[in-house]
C-alpha cells in the first residue's frame, strides 16, 4: 500500500511504463502487477524494514517511558499525557529515521540497484551536504507529530470507552485492535495533506536528478500546498486517501494490539519470575 500512496499522491506512474495516469487505487494495483509483477509491490522492503524496526523501538519505548513519567507527575487520569508523550516520541523517531525514509521513497518510485542508490546518495551528500538526507523532514514532522498526538489521545479514550462498555478492567486484544484501527483512520485523514507534500518534496529530488536538471531552491510546505490547491483544488490535498486508509488502519491496529499483547505477556512472565 505504500507504493499506491506514492503513485496516487505524485500523480506519476512509478514502474508503469505506458503513457497515462492511474485511475484510482484498484487501477494502480492492477497495472503495477500486470507490467512489473506482484514482487514489485514489495520493492524497497529492505530499507522499510531497516527503518521500521528502529523507528518502532524508539517510538514505543519513548512513548511508554514518557507516559509513565508524566502520569507520575500529573496523575493517572490526566488527558494531556498521551498527547505530550506522543508528540515528543514521534518527533525523536522521525528525526532519527528521516534519511532512511527518503531512501525508501526513492526505491519505491523507480527501480534502482543498490550500487546506483549508493552512487546517488553519495553524489547528493557531496553536492548538498548531509542535511540533504533530511529533505522532506519538515512536512514529515507536520504530518507525523499531529498524527501521533491525535492517534494516542483517541486510542486511550476509545480503549477506556470500550472497556467500560464491555464491563472490563483490562482491554482485550480486540479492544486494542479496534481502538488502534479507528484512531489511526481518524489521524490519517486529518494529516493526509502533509503526507502529500512530504512525498512531493522527496520525489522532486529524484525527478531533477534523473533528468540531469539542477535542483531549484526548495519550496516551503505551505507554498507546495498552495500550488496543489491552485492546480487541483482543495481535494488535491487529499489525493491517495483510500490507499492511505487501507494502509494505516490495519497497520495501526496490528501494531498496537500486538505491542500491547507482547507487553502484557512479558509483564506476566516477569511477575512469575519475581514470585520464584
Amino acid at each position: 500500500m505504500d507504493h499506491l500512496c506514492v503513485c496516487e499522491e505524485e500523480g506519476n506512474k512509478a514502474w508503469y511504463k505506458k503513457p497515462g495516469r492511474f485511475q484510482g487505487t484498484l487501477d494502480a494495483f492492477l497495472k503495477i502487477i500486470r507490467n512489473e509483477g506482484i514482487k514489485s509491490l514489495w520493492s524497497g522492503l529492505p530499507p522499510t524494514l531497516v527503518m521500521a524496526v528502529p523507528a518502532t523501538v524508539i517510538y514505543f519505548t519513548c512513548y511508554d517511558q514518557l507516559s509513565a513519567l508524566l502520569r507520575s507527575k500529573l496523575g493517572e487520569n490526566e488527558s494531556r499525557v498521551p498527547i505530550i508523550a506522543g508528540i515528543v516520541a514521534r518527533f525523536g523517531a522521525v528525526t532519527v529515521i528521516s534519511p532512511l525514509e527518503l531512501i525508501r521513497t526513492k526505491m519505491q518510485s523507480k527501480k534502482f540497484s543498490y550500487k546506483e542508490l549508493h552512487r546517488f546518495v553519495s553524489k547528493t551528500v557531496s553536492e548538498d551536504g548531509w542535511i540533504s538526507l533530511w529533505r522532506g523532514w519538515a512536512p514529515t514532522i507536520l504530518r507525523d507529530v499531529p498524527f501521533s498526538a491525535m492517534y494516542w489521545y483517541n486510542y486511550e479514550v476509545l480503549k477506556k470507552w470500550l472497556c467500560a462498555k464491555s464491563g472490563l478492567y483490562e482491554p482485550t486484544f480486540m479492544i486494542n485492535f479496534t481502538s488502534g484501527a479507528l484512531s489511526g483512520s481518524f489521524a490519517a485523514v486529518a494529516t493526509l495533506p502533509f503526507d502529500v507534500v512530504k512525498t512531493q518534496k522527496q520525489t522532486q529530488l529524484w525527478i531533477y536528478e534523473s533528468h540531469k536538471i539542477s535542483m531549484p531552491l526548495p519550496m516551503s510546505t505551505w507554498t507546495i500546498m498552495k500550488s496543489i490547491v491552485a492546480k487541483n483544488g482543495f481535494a488535491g490535498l487529499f489525493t491517495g486517501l483510500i490507499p492511505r486508509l487501507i494502509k494505516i488502519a490495519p497497520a495501526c491496529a496490528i501494531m498496537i494490539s500486538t505491542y500491547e499483547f507482547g507487553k502484557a505477556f512479558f509483564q506476566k512472565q516477569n511477575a512469575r519470575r519475581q514470585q520464584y
Side-chain angles (χ1 to χ4, degrees):
M1 296 311 302
D2 255 352
H3 295 67
L4 301 187
C5 287
V6 172
C7 292
E8 289 209 6
E9 287 167 10
E10 273 300 291
N12 62 30
K13 300 179 291 299
W15 319 268
Y16 185 51
K17 298 174 182 177
K18 296 180 180 179
R21 295 166 62 92
F22 291 130
Q23 303 298 319
T25 303
L26 181 60
D27 182 54
F29 189 80
L30 294 175
K31 285 179 179 176
I32 289 170
I33 293 175
R34 185 187 308 127
N35 287 276
E36 300 297 333
I38 196 167
K39 287 184 179 180
S40 63
L41 291 173
W42 276 267
S43 64
L45 180 60
T48 297
L49 292 176
V50 171
M51 180 186 75
V53 173
T56 303
V57 170
I58 295 168
Y59 184 42
F60 278 84
T61 302
C62 289
Y63 177 80
D64 263 351
Q65 295 299 314
L66 286 169
S67 293
L69 176 64
L70 291 170
R71 286 194 170 97
S72 68
K73 302 289 185 181
L74 302 176
E76 285 292 327
N77 296 319
E78 175 56 58
S79 60
R80 291 174 295 175
V81 168
I83 298 175
I84 298 171
I87 287 174
V88 175
R90 197 62 189 172
F91 188 91
V94 167
T95 302
V96 172
I97 303 302
S98 188
L100 289 175
E101 185 169 4
L102 185 67
I103 293 171
R104 182 191 65 168
T105 303
K106 180 171 179 61
M107 291 186 72
Q108 290 175 337
S109 63
K110 187 179 178 182
K111 285 187 173 180
F112 285 91
S113 67
Y114 287 106
K115 186 177 181 180
E116 290 173 326
L117 190 65
H118 180 267
R119 189 187 305 122
F120 179 80
V121 171
S122 299
K123 180 182 176 183
T124 302
V125 171
S126 64
E127 291 178 354
D128 302 322
W130 286 99
I131 196 68
S132 62
L133 295 179
W134 275 265
R135 192 183 303 275
W137 176 85
T140 302
I141 286 291
L142 290 172
R143 177 198 66 180
D144 283 7
V145 168
F147 180 98
S148 186
M150 287 184 282
Y151 172 76
W152 284 110
Y153 177 78
N154 288 318
Y155 172 73
E156 297 290 351
V157 169
L158 283 168
K159 186 170 67 172
K160 289 179 181 178
W161 183 77
L162 290 172
C163 283
K165 284 288 184 181
S166 304
L168 299 171
Y169 179 72
E170 292 291 337
T172 62
F173 181 88
M174 283 309 301
I175 286 177
N176 290 328
F177 189 93
T178 304
S179 301
L182 292 175
S183 56
S185 298
F186 174 77
V189 173
T191 59
L192 179 58
F194 297 109
D195 193 49
V196 174
V197 173
K198 185 258 326 178
T199 304
Q200 287 208 7
K201 290 193 77 169
Q202 288 183 338
T203 52
Q204 272 180 359
L205 181 64
W206 322 129
I207 293 171
Y208 282 105
E209 193 276 338
S210 62
H211 291 86
K212 307 299 181 182
I213 303 172
S214 59
M215 186 71 183
L217 291 175
M219 292 189 293
S220 68
T221 299
W222 306 113
T223 302
I224 293 176
M225 279 189 168
K226 288 178 183 178
S227 68
I228 291 172
V229 172
K231 184 178 180 181
N232 301 313
F234 186 75
L237 294 175
F238 292 88
T239 304
L241 175 61
I242 299 303
R244 181 160 164 79
L245 280 176
I246 296 173
K247 166 193 163 186
I248 293 294
C252 288
I254 293 168
M255 183 174 289
I256 193 62
S257 56
T258 52
Y259 175 74
E260 294 282 13
F261 178 83
K263 188 166 67 172
F265 174 80
F266 287 111
Q267 283 175 341
K268 291 177 182 177
Q269 293 296 314
N270 291 335
R272 289 176 183 174
R273 289 182 180 180
Q274 290 176 357
Q275 289 177 355
Y276 296 107

